[in-house]
Amino acid sequence: MSLLGIDVGTTGCKAALFSTAGDVYAVAYREYDNRHPQPGWAELDAVEVWDKVRQTLREVAQHAGPDPVRALSVSSLGEAVVPVTADRRILAPSILNFDARGQTYLPALERVLDNARLYRINGNTLGNHYGLTKLLWIQEHQPDLYARTHKFLLWSSFIAFMLGADPVVDHSLANRTLLFDLARGDWSAELLDIAGLDREKLPATAPSGTAIGTVADHVADDLGLPRGVLITTGAHDQCANAVGCGVIVEGRAVYGMGTFMCITPVFGARSDPEVMIARGLSTEHHAVPGKYVTFIYNQGGSLVKWFRDTFALAEHQQARAAGRDVYADLFAELPDGPSGVMALPYFTTTGPPEFVSDSCGVIAGLHLETPRGAILKGLVEGATFYLKACVDTLPATGIAIESFRAVGGGSKSDVWVQLSADILGRPFVRPHITEAGALGAAIIAGTGSGVFPSYADGVEAMVRLERTFEPDPAQHARYAAWFERYQHLWPTMQAYLRELAVAQG
């Protein structure tokens, strides 16, 4: 038998077919664009995305051969919802988390719901990037759509529903609405009452890996899947990534090296809300029973891309024409040890703890003899220092990180992974499959369908580790001194950079 993992993101979707031993039978990927019908708006065309998902499924289904698909699950972006009818018709586009609609509801919500109270129930603080304010906007500005909607489905539950499953969302994604009660594992009557939203408009909730139906016969025939494929609840993409690289126990953390760098540690008990709020940390159910995750993130790959397009555009174009990876060439230019260039990674809105939106980046320490490789390394060091500053505050929360699992596009660079290990002073382990969302979804499906007795068994069977990067003690000591200097940069320049950002518009 084989297991199917589907990973639906903001700009593309992937389907991957795996053996129960973790061998990859087939992978298919399709891209799509965000829509911006008005300034500040950002949407996904749910009809287009559903069509692209079906294309990927048709492509991978051809490769199952004598190893038929047993079960599937879906990893997806969070926060955004899709309005659907009971007979599985899509009613409108999906409003994305960075869409400005809903911002005006925050002051009224803040008057009746302080962050400490909300955190005790939901594990998050108020913000317009969650699903709550978008639902309020639809309720007020599109009342006909709100009335006609049978369910507002988060993306994993939407794809499962369109395949034939019941309308059920897993706990990790339900959390991204701000309407979920962590302790009860269900929608919060108190939060729904404060918001004035209808419980019946939301799907049922269940832990990740819960069986919620099978692929409808006519859908299976259309996609080339066998009839009777089991569908289980999936997970928020960060939680699926964690499963897909074996981060299922306390002490481990995902180190996602993509457009944003995101650390996802696992912990077993909820921490004091005040301690977590002070550090800008959320609390969310992991896909794994009895575990929680939080997210430490900031700019990462976006800074490297900016460097590429600013300092190496010609090389990038030449490498692309030759089918070569320009990043390998650029990282080969990095000098040994600390770069001597200090970069403050505030080029766009930052992650926790402050979520600074009114600032701009800094590159300091430049000389006429500074090579461009030192500038690139300074950017990567600065992005890593930002995360280290957050990681260093974790002991007060009770969350421990003993080692990292490196995933995402940046993890393919030995130089970048080793630099991260040297700065953070912990081992980094790179799995064989570094784009782990679809693999995590497949493991969730395998566990939920009974192929594996537990998540630990699924990880043991399907996750393969490629290499361990141990921190170099000498380099770690050098970076510790450099990090001390970094910590002075933002407090020293904070007011000036905010004024400059405002002046630049």
Side-chain angles (χ1 to χ4, degrees):
M1 70 187 77
S2 57
L3 298 168
L4 182 56
I6 304 168
D7 187 17
V8 180
T10 306
T11 59
C13 61
K14 177 187 294 183
L17 191 62
F18 301 90
S19 76
T20 55
D23 298 312
V24 182
Y25 287 154
V27 178
Y29 177 76
R30 298 290 187 278
E31 289 188 352
Y32 35 79
D33 294 322
N34 300 162
R35 302 193 329 183
H36 303 276
Q38 294 189 36
W41 290 24
E43 301 174 343
L44 276 181
D45 183 338
V47 174
E48 178 189 6
V49 176
W50 168 232
D51 182 58
K52 295 292 179 67
V53 170
R54 284 184 294 172
Q55 290 177 31
T56 65
L57 292 174
R58 289 192 192 99
E59 185 173 332
V60 300
Q62 301 172 21
H63 299 274
D67 203 2
V69 181
R70 167 72 177 273
L72 67 82
S73 187
V74 185
S75 159
S76 81
L77 68 151
E79 292 88 38
V81 297
V82 183
V84 297
T85 65
D87 60 353
R88 305 178 202 271
R89 289 184 294 112
I90 300 167
L91 292 176
S94 179
I95 302 176
L96 290 169
N97 61 351
F98 51 91
D99 187 298
R101 282 173 285 182
Q103 186 73 32
T104 56
Y105 299 98
L106 290 178
L109 288 169
E110 289 167 352
R111 287 193 290 271
V112 296
L113 183 63
D114 64 80
N115 277 328
R117 179 182 174 193
L118 173 60
Y119 201 100
R120 288 187 180 91
I121 300 171
N122 176 256
N124 289 291
T125 55
L126 278 171
N128 189 46
H129 50 294
Y130 296 105
L132 167 59
T133 53
K134 307 303 193 293
L135 290 171
L136 291 174
W137 188 90
I138 293 172
Q139 184 186 50
E140 179 179 0
H141 294 274
Q142 297 178 330
D144 181 62
L145 171 62
Y146 186 85
R148 290 187 297 122
T149 297
H150 171 59
K151 299 291 182 185
F152 289 97
L153 298 179
L154 289 111
W155 271 90
S156 174
S157 56
F158 162 69
I159 297 298
F161 180 68
M162 298 301 288
L163 287 168
D166 295 331
V168 183
V169 66
D170 77 278
H171 290 173
S172 65
L173 276 173
N175 174 266
R176 310 308 294 174
T177 63
L178 290 188
L179 296 168
F180 186 71
D181 187 320
L182 280 174
R184 293 181 57 247
D186 202 355
W187 302 113
S188 166
E190 179 180 353
L191 296 177
L192 284 165
D193 182 63
I194 290 171
L197 294 168
D198 299 297
R199 167 67 180 81
E200 62 269 19
K201 296 288 183 182
L202 300 174
T205 66
S208 297
T210 301
I212 54 175
T214 59
V215 177
D217 287 349
H218 72 280
V219 176
D221 294 344
D222 175 58
L223 299 178
L225 293 170
R227 292 191 174 190
V229 174
L230 184 72
I231 304 172
T232 75
T233 47
H236 186 199
D237 51 12
Q238 298 295 347
C239 298
N241 282 336
V243 173
C245 64
V247 176
I248 61 173
V249 296
E250 293 96 328
R252 290 181 189 166
V254 182
Y255 196 85
M257 304 173 72
T259 302
F260 270 65
M261 290 160 62
C262 182
I263 296 175
T264 307
V266 177
F267 51 104
R270 294 177 62 183
S271 299
D272 180 274
E274 292 184 3
V275 174
M276 297 291 280
I277 291 171
R279 290 157 177 78
L281 300 176
S282 62
T283 299
E284 179 177 303
H285 280 288
H286 197 350
V288 180
K291 306 298 182 187
Y292 298 94
V293 295
T294 191
F295 310 112
I296 300 169
Y297 58 91
N298 197 46
Q299 302 139 45
S302 57
L303 298 178
V304 176
K305 182 178 181 294
W306 172 81
F307 174 89
R308 180 200 73 187
D309 295 342
T310 304
F311 293 90
L313 183 59
E315 289 95 327
H316 172 50
Q317 293 171 341
Q318 292 166 5
R320 185 167 54 185
R324 197 177 68 253
D325 180 12
V326 71
Y327 290 116
D329 297 338
L330 294 177
F331 273 84
E333 297 181 15
L334 268 57
D336 293 333
S339 64
V341 173
M342 188 66 73
L344 191 64
Y346 286 59
F347 284 50
T348 186
T349 302
T350 71
E354 294 184 82
F355 305 97
V356 177
S357 59
D358 55 345
S359 183
C360 52
V362 171
I363 301 176
L366 299 178
H367 301 278
L368 289 177
E369 62 270 21
T370 300
R372 70 175 183 178
I375 298 174
L376 174 57
K377 191 167 192 179
L379 289 169
V380 175
E381 289 167 345
T384 312
F385 285 154
Y386 186 98
L387 299 182
K388 175 176 167 54
C390 298
V391 169
D392 285 353
T393 71
L394 287 182
T397 70
I399 300 171
I401 300 178
E402 298 166 4
S403 64
F404 293 96
R405 295 282 170 94
V407 299
S411 68
K412 299 174 185 177
S413 168
D414 292 357
V415 174
W416 194 347
V417 178
Q418 185 62 57
L419 181 151
S420 303
D422 291 343
I423 290 177
L424 289 161
R426 293 169 175 84
F428 273 62
V429 182
R430 183 168 62 200
H432 179 68
I433 296 176
T434 58
E435 302 293 342
L439 176 58
I443 295 171
I444 292 169
T447 305
S449 63
V451 172
F452 306 120
S454 68
Y455 280 96
D457 290 295
V459 167
E460 177 68 23
M462 297 187 70
V463 176
R464 301 172 185 172
L465 305 180
E466 177 191 281
R467 179 178 170 184
T468 297
F469 296 78
E470 295 287 350
D472 181 303
Q475 294 287 24
H476 180 62
R478 295 177 69 188
Y479 274 122
W482 197 240
F483 176 66
E484 290 297 321
R485 299 184 184 95
Y486 165 86
Q487 288 186 296
H488 294 297
L489 191 55
W490 170 244
T492 300
M493 303 191 69
Q494 183 174 359
Y496 170 73
L497 292 176
R498 284 179 159 159
E499 290 175 4
L500 182 60
V502 171
Q504 292 174 335

